[in-house]
Amino acid sequence: TRADVPADAAGDAHDRGSAVTLQPVLVDETVRRAQSEGTGDYKARAATVGKMPIAPREIPQSVSVITRQRMDDQGMQNAWEAMTYTTGVTAVSNDVSQAQYHARGYALGVMYDGMPAYSGLSGYQQFDLAIYDRIEVQRGPAGLLQGSDNPSGVVNFVRKRAQDHRSLNAVVDLGSWNNYRATVDVTGPLNEDGSVRARALAMWNDRDYFFDRAHDRKWLGYATVEADLAAATTFSIAATVQDDDAPSFSGLPAYTTGQFLNVDRSTNVYPDWGKYLWHTEELQASVEHRLGDGWQASVKLLRRNQDFYFKDSYPTTGVDPATLTMTYARREADYHYHRNAVDAFVTGPFDLFGRAHMALVGFNYDQLQTDYVRGTAASVTGVPLFHPEAVVEPAVIYTLGGESQTAQRGLYSQARLSLSDAWTATVGARMTDFQTKSHNKAPATPTQWGEGAHAEREITPYGAVMYDLLPNASLYASYSEIFMPQTAQTFTGETLDPRIGEQYELGAKADFFDRRLEATFALFRTHEINRPYADPDHTNFYLPMGKVQVQGYEAEVTGSPVVGLQLSAGFTRLMTKYLKDKNNEGRPTSYWYPPNQFKLWAMYRPGGAWADWRFGAGMVGQGPVRVNGTGATDIREQGSFAVYDATVGYRINARLDLTFAVKNLFDRKYYTRMGGLNTYNSYGDPRNVMLTVRARL
């Protein structure tokens, strides 16, 4: 919200057009009002990606929120489905169990309930969406609260909270390729006055895929208890466990001549014995204490353990078009990821020069420890394209292993200053310590811990101004930064200063139709400086001269323009370029970032005689992309395409509801990723259907 009003009163303040006296609203109540569950809206009332619950229209940066209602309407079940439909985000498939997510030319970072988790999104399996109230995506550098990461932005997954009313919801999904799924979600008070509340959720999913010989079995359990220990103190604890037995599949190879394979989408080139096993456990706890006069202190703790075991075989060469054969590697590995994090902050209003403002001061710490063992077996040559069973399962001996640790801690502060009735300024800064270390623990070549990339007392500034052009419209300008430590050295032995990602953003945000619909437009330009630049006079040494530019614009509309219609539409134009680089100057940083993206989803509930019906439709479209390798044959292209989805729902009665959904309605054949000659040429799902039955008890 504006610095001088709570989230749901922002509109009233604009209408009055005069100085506003801060109302004594408890921050915890505002956080609860940020919950999207039960609102039925696509337009979020507030976002908490910046700690303070603020209406997205009042945030001077690009922010999109996928609410619980939208997740349910579109049948979103995992992070891939949510990010695919999020404005400005490019979802890139890895395998069936995890993926990569990019925005503005870089991989996105992640937060869990506002707690930053360094390097925790791409390449790691995320929890099923059944446990989340909303997903907040802030695009552009988020260094003020996140610390070190890419200048792309951050995805904040916000969990469902225990409710003060009893409800029991059950959902059963039946879909193509033997896709069976069931979810049960129960919540309510545990005592008469509602001071202790609980929630429990269980999900089970058993399914095949559109490609042959692939089966996945996943289950999830979630439980949380929230207690008002006193009139001003709330304690909560939450535990989540997810287990996934997934098949090994990382896309198709290509011909050695560079062309895509001319095969059915159902083709699976991986042997049946391959498997990816994920097991994730997370424990969160928090204490919120209202200090009075609108101030609140919060302490959050997180511990996440994730185990990833895989045993697989994959092509290491392209397919010889003459013999239709290729070579396969065989491997086995066991990875363990341990994350511990704490976030403590105070926030509240203060008066200065006769106006009310908001302040935030905090500290967070995040540590990720990774240890692994792995081994390989002899490669298998001459494997026929359509007979991967020729690759025999090996008995692998672990010969390699290692351990690494990344830790960062930071002090951060931010102030939202009400300069006048029309002008608001936001200023902030963070001081971060960042350190990595690792060692080899392979039996044959063990080593001691060695220091890696590090930074001490790195200062990250943030600044923005917002001007209320009209009661329902604002203009803003913001500057944000983030840093990335590096290990490259100069000829004189000095480690290069951290890479810096700095973004300038200009935008406009407005509410329409009695603030039921929000429209935003943003122009952005990001420079990444201090990149390693190969020293022309000294081999294997570098100069901090490299520079990358990312620029473009985004437009998004979210909400309800007419009664019964909820929609979200977004367009992104993205251009990337190496401004200063030894080998790539003038080229895009990646050819698989589409230059244009358009995403649309709408759900209409007619009312009247058709009040029990609803109709939804949407599409994801993007411009042409290609992959460029090092060889002349390692180039593949995909033209512009669009994929359409549709759904129809019917409410049988107050307790029972049916939905029938069709995805990829016109059965468009396309790639979600184009890789090398050996792997990662991955088809998108063909046309498929899903029948969903919802029961509310």
Side-chain angles (χ1 to χ4, degrees):
T1 66
R2 285 178 47 121
D4 46 5
V5 289
D8 57 354
D12 296 337
H14 284 294
D15 289 342
R16 290 192 294 270
S18 59
V20 179
T21 302
L22 184 72
Q23 300 299 315
V25 177
L26 298 181
V27 176
D28 180 63
E29 294 176 1
T30 316
V31 172
R32 284 191 169 277
R33 283 196 292 271
Q35 295 180 21
S36 71
E37 186 180 19
T39 66
D41 294 331
Y42 289 6
K43 180 177 181 287
R45 293 177 295 182
T48 52
V49 67
K51 311 294 183 187
M52 294 183 285
I54 301 172
R57 191 177 80 77
E58 303 292 339
I59 299 174
Q61 209 162 332
S62 298
V63 176
S64 299
V65 180
I66 297 181
T67 63
R68 185 67 250 175
Q69 185 64 50
R70 188 174 169 201
M71 283 187 263
D72 291 341
D73 284 351
Q74 289 192 246
M76 295 178 179
Q77 298 176 355
N78 51 57
W80 169 267
E81 294 173 340
M83 294 298 100
T84 297
Y85 260 98
T86 300
T87 299
V89 176
T90 301
V92 183
S93 58
N94 271 11
D95 53 57
V96 297
S97 62
Q98 48 87 21
Q100 299 180 35
Y101 307 106
H102 294 241
R104 300 191 176 177
Y106 298 89
L108 282 160
V110 69
M111 291 181 175
Y112 301 112
D113 287 286
M115 302 181 67
Y118 178 79
S119 184
L121 182 63
S122 294
Y124 298 86
Q125 188 176 71
Q126 304 301 318
F127 284 132
D128 189 273
L129 298 190
I131 70 170
Y132 294 118
D133 173 80
R134 63 190 182 277
I135 304 171
E136 305 167 348
V137 181
Q138 177 179 306
R139 294 178 293 281
L144 178 67
L145 301 177
Q146 194 180 8
S148 173
D149 217 320
N150 291 312
S152 51
V154 63
V155 181
N156 185 27
F157 292 95
V158 184
R159 292 178 298 112
K160 291 177 176 177
R161 298 181 65 165
Q163 303 297 300
D164 57 6
H165 59 276
R166 290 183 176 85
S167 72
L168 172 61
N169 293 278
V171 182
V172 175
D173 299 298
L174 308 172
S176 299
W177 312 306
N178 302 313
N179 189 353
Y180 308 112
R181 175 185 167 100
T183 306
V184 177
D185 184 0
V186 58
T187 186
L190 297 182
N191 57 0
E192 188 172 341
D193 63 3
S195 60
V196 181
R197 303 163 294 279
R199 187 166 200 156
L201 183 149
M203 185 282 301
W204 169 84
N205 190 197
D206 190 279
R207 60 166 300 177
D208 296 332
Y209 291 88
F210 67 87
F211 42 88
D212 297 332
R213 300 177 293 101
H215 183 76
D216 194 318
R217 183 178 293 107
K218 180 193 295 185
W219 64 266
L220 173 142
Y222 169 68
T224 182
V225 176
E226 189 173 286
D228 299 326
L229 302 182
T233 306
T234 300
F235 169 79
S236 68
I237 188 168
T240 312
V241 180
Q242 180 172 282
D243 195 86
D244 188 15
D245 185 348
S248 165
F249 187 89
S250 299
L252 297 174
Y255 292 115
T256 53
T257 53
Q259 291 82 18
F260 290 117
L261 296 184
N262 184 20
V263 297
D264 292 337
R265 284 175 286 184
S266 60
T267 302
N268 184 351
V269 300
Y270 299 88
D272 292 349
W273 50 263
K275 54 187 173 182
Y276 291 168
L277 306 180
W278 291 87
H279 182 80
T280 308
E281 300 177 354
E282 182 182 89
L283 184 66
Q284 287 193 30
S286 68
V287 176
E288 300 168 348
H289 181 69
R290 277 75 71 189
L291 301 170
D293 295 327
W295 282 83
Q296 175 170 304
S298 299
V299 178
K300 298 181 178 182
L301 305 173
L302 178 145
R303 179 169 178 81
R304 172 177 285 210
N305 294 322
Q306 189 164 52
D307 300 327
F308 177 38
Y309 167 84
F310 64 86
K311 188 174 187 179
D312 68 354
S313 180
Y314 62 94
T316 59
T317 64
V319 178
D320 186 330
T323 63
L324 294 183
T325 61
M326 49 191 159
T327 298
Y328 277 70
R330 296 180 293 174
R331 62 180 181 174
E332 183 177 349
D334 202 352
Y335 282 77
H336 304 277
Y337 307 102
H338 309 281
R339 185 180 299 279
N340 295 292
V342 60
D343 192 7
F345 59 92
V346 294
T347 182
F350 66 97
D351 293 325
L352 185 65
F353 302 122
R355 303 193 67 85
H357 318 274
M358 291 291 293
L360 167 71
V361 179
F363 166 84
N364 54 31
Y365 172 79
D366 176 47
Q367 181 194 74
L368 173 64
Q369 183 165 320
T370 302
D371 61 83
Y372 72 92
V373 290
R374 59 187 175 92
T376 60
S379 297
V380 182
T381 61
V383 178
L385 171 62
F386 298 108
H387 295 283
E389 69 275 8
V391 182
V392 178
E393 180 177 2
V396 176
I397 298 175
Y398 292 140
T399 57
L400 302 173
E403 191 172 8
S404 64
Q405 187 180 99
T406 300
Q408 65 172 326
R409 60 184 62 84
L411 292 168
Y412 56 87
S413 62
Q414 186 181 70
R416 293 177 57 83
L417 306 174
S418 176
L419 305 181
S420 69
D421 292 347
W423 287 92
T424 301
T426 304
V427 294
R430 176 188 178 93
M431 183 174 68
T432 304
D433 290 338
F434 180 97
Q435 182 183 50
T436 63
K437 61 180 182 179
S438 63
H439 74 102
N440 188 342
K441 61 178 186 180
T445 57
T447 62
Q448 299 296 318
W449 284 95
E451 299 294 332
H454 69 279
E456 294 183 0
R457 299 182 179 179
E458 184 72 23
I459 303 298
T460 304
Y462 177 86
V465 292
M466 180 169 277
Y467 175 69
D468 294 340
L469 183 66
L470 297 169
N472 67 321
S474 301
L475 304 176
Y476 71 87
S478 65
Y479 173 84
S480 53
E481 268 192 20
I482 203 163
F483 74 97
M484 298 143 281
Q486 47 191 347
T487 57
Q489 292 188 336
T490 66
F491 178 69
T492 58
E494 298 175 343
T495 301
L496 299 188
D497 289 337
R499 294 151 52 205
I500 300 295
E502 53 182 16
Q503 176 185 270
Y504 300 88
E505 181 170 313
L506 299 174
K509 299 188 177 187
D511 286 332
F512 301 97
F513 304 106
D514 197 25
R515 295 181 176 81
R516 297 192 309 270
L517 184 79
E518 178 182 329
T520 67
F521 179 80
L523 293 164
F524 58 87
R525 174 175 288 178
T526 301
H527 285 145
E528 184 194 344
I529 59 177
N530 291 344
R531 289 176 58 90
Y533 184 91
D535 190 332
D537 299 321
H538 303 96
T539 304
N540 296 327
F541 292 99
Y542 299 88
L543 302 172
M545 296 170 52
K547 188 174 184 179
V548 163
Q549 177 177 280
V550 178
Q551 63 183 3
Y553 56 87
E554 292 177 345
E556 186 176 49
V557 177
T558 305
S560 177
V562 297
V563 176
L565 177 64
Q566 293 283 339
L567 66 84
S568 176
F571 176 80
T572 303
R573 172 66 172 170
L574 180 69
M575 296 162 283
T576 68
K577 182 190 295 186
Y578 288 100
L579 294 183
K580 185 70 173 178
D581 187 88
K582 177 71 172 177
N583 302 310
N584 301 297
E585 195 162 308
R587 298 176 59 186
T589 61
S590 174
Y591 287 97
W592 49 261
Y593 288 135
N596 304 304
Q597 284 185 321
F598 180 69
K599 303 181 180 184
L600 168 69
W601 176 261
M603 179 67 80
Y604 182 58
R605 294 169 169 83
W610 289 78
D612 293 327
W613 291 87
R614 62 188 180 277
F615 305 91
M619 60 87 71
V620 174
Q622 68 174 49
V625 294
R626 78 178 197 226
V627 58
N628 270 34
T630 56
T633 61
D634 201 7
I635 299 176
R636 279 163 299 286
E637 298 179 332
Q638 177 169 247
S640 300
F641 71 90
V643 178
Y644 296 85
D645 300 337
T647 185
V648 58
Y650 179 70
R651 184 181 60 185
I652 298 175
N653 54 46
R655 297 185 180 274
L656 196 61
D657 184 275
L658 296 178
T659 302
F660 181 74
V662 183
K663 295 187 176 181
N664 196 355
L665 182 64
F666 302 110
D667 200 23
R668 177 63 190 248
K669 191 174 183 179
Y670 68 101
Y671 290 93
T672 58
R673 180 177 183 176
M674 293 182 295
L677 297 179
N678 62 329
T679 55
Y680 290 133
N681 298 291
S682 304
Y683 281 122
D685 288 359
R687 179 170 50 234
N688 61 97
V689 300
M690 178 75 75
L691 176 65
T692 300
V693 182
R694 294 181 181 274
R696 301 173 178 85
L697 306 176

